[in-house]
Amino acid sequence: MPKKTVKFLVLGCGRQAWLAFFPWIKANPNARLEAVADINEDQARRAAKEFGARKVFTDSEKAIKESDADAAIVVTPPWAHAEPVALAARRGMSVLCEKPMAVNSAECRRMIEECEKNNVLLRIGFSLRFDPGYEKVKTMIKTGDIGRVFQLRAEYDLWAPDLTKSPMREIIQVGGRLRLSHSPDMGAWRVNDARAGGGVFFDHGIHYVDLFRFFMDEDCDVLGGTAHKVVPTRSFEDHASCMLRFESGAAAHIQTSLSRWSARDEIEQGMINGSGGCIRFKFDPSWFLRGYPHLYHTHARVWKFGVPSLILGRWLPEHVPHGPAHVMFKRQIDDFVSRVNGSFEPHPVFGEIWGATGHDGLRAIEIAEQVVSFRIRR
């Protein structure tokens, strides 16, 4: 029996849609871009022309009501997630919503309630789950390759200038007028817009909250944390860290920063310690700067320190496949399409648990809310 073609409506035509969704819908033989929507009509029309959408809208509510789509992908900023997800659920559409799921846990619960009430699929765009390097880490943990995990650590460290002052303010204004990065402010809303819900931990730290829960197949609690505004003009935290405790007793430390001056190639990395060995991982985030098709060559690299390492005195690399077939965003779309059209096949090692559910998205936001509440006041 031929597989059903899933028709997509994409809400939001900014940079993330061009990187993470449009090319991979086009690449999937069982998917089609039915419609796009963006408050900027020119941007929506450019996306429609490039990727073959049949309809163009400038209003999300109208797009959901009038497009003949089976599924909606919500790629608007987080303050514009809850209402479109609820509307799409009432229309009977499956939903893939970018992270952060929403600006607070109350909105997340509303989104879950609407999707469950209308019996539609809800997935959250924690794309790192689909990176082949992190798939390798999950597999190593699941098969007991490093024994019982007792400690996890991740660091995401950048240095970003104050975007409200010269010359960055003028650069962003010019870039926005030219629609560089397919964005009116080149993505500066992530740190400068009070509607965003949170800063660097809220926006990116939750990737590792979710990833560590995915690795461990367990929930966790927040033991403590700190959140700073090193640059006072930012709307939310630009440096934050937390300590988590998993149900098994394993501890995790996550640090995120936009204010670490020494951050260069050590931007995104971490380590997982087990009773029988250690895993080290390092992710190449340059895809965000260089974009598609550089994504073909971007993935988490993984090393193991075990008994052979004790003899050789070095970390030993693990093989991680990469290339067009293994791009995390492609695999995220492929997984979602297979869930919608009924062709999903469980992973050979960790079964059906792969894409993040609405409850995973909610839990990440709940933990982020706790972490950023530990703000140091000056």
Side-chain angles (χ1 to χ4, degrees):
M1 179 181 292
K3 298 173 184 176
K4 175 188 174 183
T5 298
V6 178
K7 295 177 289 184
F8 279 96
L9 161 65
V10 175
L11 304 172
C13 299
R15 178 176 174 79
Q16 190 66 8
W18 284 72
L19 282 173
F21 300 108
F22 289 144
W24 316 114
I25 293 172
K26 187 174 182 179
N28 188 301
N30 300 307
R32 187 176 79 222
L33 185 61
E34 178 70 16
V36 296
D38 196 281
I39 57 174
N40 183 283
E41 185 174 0
D42 288 342
Q43 192 149 302
R45 291 199 178 280
R46 281 199 298 271
K49 181 178 179 180
E50 179 72 20
F51 298 103
R54 300 184 180 192
K55 296 179 180 178
V56 175
F57 298 90
T58 56
D59 178 83
S60 291
E61 183 175 355
K62 186 175 181 181
I64 291 166
K65 288 180 178 178
E66 297 184 9
S67 68
D68 183 27
D70 306 300
I73 300 180
V74 180
V75 208
T76 52
W79 61 82
H81 284 180
E83 188 62 25
V85 169
L87 289 172
R90 291 181 207 134
R91 178 76 165 71
M93 295 180 181
S94 298
V95 180
L96 174 55
C97 179
E98 250 300 342
K99 63 85 202 163
M101 183 175 175
V103 295
N104 56 57
S105 54
E107 287 195 349
C108 294
R109 292 188 189 95
R110 177 190 167 210
M111 294 157 71
I112 292 169
E113 181 182 347
E114 288 286 355
C115 290
E116 290 181 346
K117 182 170 64 177
N118 291 281
N119 196 30
V120 300
L121 178 70
L122 173 61
R123 286 290 184 266
I124 308 303
F126 283 113
S127 52
L128 292 185
R129 288 184 177 221
F130 294 94
D131 180 85
Y134 293 129
E135 178 193 12
K136 180 70 175 181
V137 174
K138 167 76 171 177
T139 298
M140 293 170 74
I141 292 172
K142 188 74 174 178
T143 57
D145 201 17
I146 61 167
R148 180 182 64 85
V149 173
F150 61 87
Q151 195 263 347
L152 308 94
R153 186 178 79 227
E155 298 171 349
Y156 174 77
D157 289 337
L158 292 170
W159 179 81
D162 186 341
L163 303 181
T164 67
K165 294 182 178 179
S166 296
M168 292 305 303
R169 180 182 60 225
E170 288 74 22
I171 291 172
I172 288 170
Q173 289 172 349
V174 171
R177 286 196 295 271
L178 296 175
R179 289 282 162 175
L180 299 179
S181 299
H182 306 286
S183 170
D185 69 351
M186 297 179 65
W189 63 264
R190 292 175 182 269
V191 294
N192 286 349
D193 198 313
R195 296 173 295 175
V200 65
F201 193 92
F202 199 88
D203 183 64
H204 200 85
I206 58 170
H207 261 307
Y208 285 96
V209 171
D210 177 74
L211 203 58
F212 286 173
R213 291 181 69 251
F214 173 60
F215 287 164
M216 297 294 289
D217 285 325
E218 299 174 11
D219 200 7
C220 57
D221 294 317
V222 180
L223 294 182
T226 61
H228 307 251
K229 278 209 300 183
V230 179
V231 176
T233 56
R234 302 206 214 273
S235 295
F236 297 99
E237 80 282 355
D238 57 2
H239 183 95
S241 61
C242 71
M243 180 70 77
L244 308 175
R245 178 175 58 198
F246 283 86
E247 293 168 345
S248 62
H253 177 257
I254 300 171
Q255 174 178 299
T256 58
S257 184
L258 296 177
S259 299
R260 206 192 91 181
W261 280 76
S262 61
R264 293 202 179 274
D265 64 332
E266 297 178 354
I267 292 174
E268 196 158 357
Q269 60 184 349
M271 188 180 297
I272 300 170
N273 291 292
S275 59
C278 305
I279 299 169
R280 183 161 63 93
F281 59 83
K282 186 173 183 179
F283 190 73
D284 175 8
S286 63
W287 64 266
F288 189 76
L289 298 175
R290 297 171 62 183
Y292 173 87
H294 175 62
L295 280 168
Y296 286 168
H297 310 289
T298 303
H299 62 281
R301 289 165 172 79
V302 179
W303 298 263
K304 179 184 174 183
F305 201 100
V307 173
S309 301
L310 291 173
I311 299 169
L312 299 173
R314 61 189 294 265
W315 289 86
L316 299 178
E318 293 286 331
H319 172 68
V320 176
H322 63 282
H326 300 281
V327 175
M328 61 181 178
F329 294 134
K330 177 187 185 302
R331 301 172 96 199
Q332 179 175 248
I333 284 291
D334 292 350
D335 175 81
F336 185 75
V337 169
S338 72
R339 302 269 184 172
V340 175
N341 70 10
S343 63
F344 173 77
E345 295 182 2
H347 189 277
V349 175
F350 46 84
E352 295 197 11
I353 302 173
W354 203 342
T357 66
H359 291 282
D360 292 321
L362 165 63
R363 192 68 186 120
I365 295 298
E366 288 176 333
I367 290 171
E369 286 176 333
Q370 285 184 264
V371 172
V372 301
S373 71
F374 295 114
R375 183 165 297 140
I376 292 179
R377 303 184 186 278
R378 299 285 183 190

